[in-house]
Amino acid sequence: MELSTEQIQELYIFTRKHYVEYYDVQTELVDHLANDIEQISEENPNLSFEQARDTSFKKFGVFGFMDIVESRQKQLGKKYNKILWSIMKEWFTIPKIMITASIFMFFYLLMSLNINIHYLSVLMLILAFIDIFLASKLSKKSKKRFKDNNKKYLLEDIIFKVSAFSSVIIFSNIFNLSAFLRYSESLYTKVFVASLITLAILYSYISLIVIPQKAEELLQETYPEYKFINNL
């Protein structure tokens, strides 16, 4: 038995009801369910569509679709990290390394001057607020994209939400690390903190600005059907 268009749409609704919010994961599951339902119906012609669907769903076990969602999240999380670090590495090659070195030297010299350490903490707080502001803009953009397309992709969610949240967390921790300088005048401590601040700034710039600007390209590369579906 070949499923009708209405039954396929019913399977999409079924996956959403079982807490699968990402369209790409829904499509993967719908494809699997449709093939399995057709096979079950051939073996048991007396079963209704709903009975065959429920029989297929039981094969996913106690946690339903959650294992599939988690597996896909890990897979695309690794993909995102590869994209992030490939761009990050560019900042340690000529000519961008000059900017990276300048950021490092600025914070290292700032810590080496005989100024109140609270000034560094205030600067970190300002950078953290900039991070929060950019992350908030990304979150609003994510909501608008979903409203416009009515479809949410897992990689899209990582680009516009997960990475933004991670950036804020990293900068919050860097802000706390700067407090170590109150208790140490060590050269190594200053180099360590200046390096972490530099990496945090690069991470934030790449995750909050560079990668979101490449979002359409990355989504079309990951999902061949993305451009066609979102142009309908």
Side-chain angles (χ1 to χ4, degrees):
M1 169 184 99
E2 186 173 343
L3 300 188
S4 66
T5 302
E6 290 75 16
Q7 288 172 327
I8 293 295
Q9 291 305 313
E10 188 66 34
L11 290 178
Y12 273 101
I13 295 170
F14 182 78
T15 59
R16 286 197 295 272
K17 284 182 178 178
H18 288 81
Y19 312 107
V20 182
E21 58 179 323
Y22 304 111
Y23 182 74
D24 50 318
V25 185
Q26 290 172 4
T27 300
E28 182 180 334
L29 288 167
V30 166
D31 184 58
H32 176 85
L33 286 168
N35 290 329
D36 197 37
I37 289 169
E38 288 175 3
Q39 184 176 344
I40 291 170
S41 296
E42 285 180 10
E43 295 172 357
N44 301 277
N46 295 326
L47 290 179
S48 66
F49 166 75
E50 288 76 13
Q51 289 172 323
R53 179 200 64 196
D54 292 342
T55 300
S56 180
F57 179 62
K58 287 178 182 178
K59 295 179 182 179
F60 286 89
V62 177
F63 298 104
F65 299 135
M66 288 301 100
D67 288 341
I68 302 296
V69 175
E70 287 179 12
S71 174
R72 193 71 174 141
Q73 285 174 330
K74 289 178 182 177
Q75 182 184 350
L76 288 178
K78 289 179 181 177
K79 180 183 178 70
Y80 177 85
N81 288 334
K82 285 180 69 175
I83 295 167
L84 175 71
W85 293 118
S86 67
I87 297 173
M88 179 80 82
K89 284 188 286 188
E90 293 175 7
W91 288 86
F92 293 91
T93 57
I94 297 173
K96 288 183 178 179
I97 195 171
M98 301 301 293
I99 300 174
T100 306
S102 297
I103 296 171
F104 169 83
M105 287 306 300
F106 171 78
F107 286 101
Y108 175 76
L109 292 173
L110 188 64
M111 288 183 287
S112 299
L113 296 174
N114 291 322
I115 60 174
N116 193 316
I117 196 63
H118 289 296
Y119 289 124
L120 179 62
S121 296
V122 169
L123 180 56
M124 290 296 96
L125 189 60
I126 292 170
L127 291 174
F129 275 121
I130 292 172
D131 234 38
I132 292 170
F133 172 73
L134 292 173
S136 176
K137 281 187 67 177
L138 274 188
S139 179
K140 289 178 182 177
K141 189 173 182 179
S142 174
K143 290 176 182 177
K144 185 178 184 304
R145 289 170 67 92
F146 178 69
K147 185 178 179 181
D148 292 343
N149 300 329
N150 200 31
K151 292 180 179 67
K152 184 189 294 186
Y153 290 80
L154 180 51
L155 182 60
E156 185 179 33
D157 206 48
I158 293 173
I159 291 172
F160 287 96
K161 284 187 178 179
V162 177
S163 59
F165 178 74
S166 299
S167 181
V168 171
I169 294 297
I170 287 173
F171 242 111
S172 299
N173 290 329
I174 294 295
F175 172 71
N176 293 329
L177 274 172
S178 64
F180 287 160
L181 295 174
R182 299 175 188 175
Y183 310 104
S184 176
E185 289 296 321
S186 166
L187 167 68
Y188 298 110
T189 301
K190 292 173 183 175
V191 169
F192 177 67
V193 174
S195 298
L196 284 179
I197 294 172
T198 302
L199 290 173
I201 290 173
L202 292 180
Y203 180 91
S204 293
Y205 175 71
I206 293 167
S207 63
L208 296 175
I209 297 175
V210 177
I211 293 181
Q213 288 176 347
K214 294 175 174 283
E216 293 300 317
E217 176 189 338
L218 294 171
L219 290 167
Q220 289 178 28
E221 178 187 308
T222 305
Y223 311 111
E225 77 285 359
Y226 177 84
K227 185 175 181 179
F228 172 75
I229 290 174
N230 287 279
N231 285 336
L232 289 177

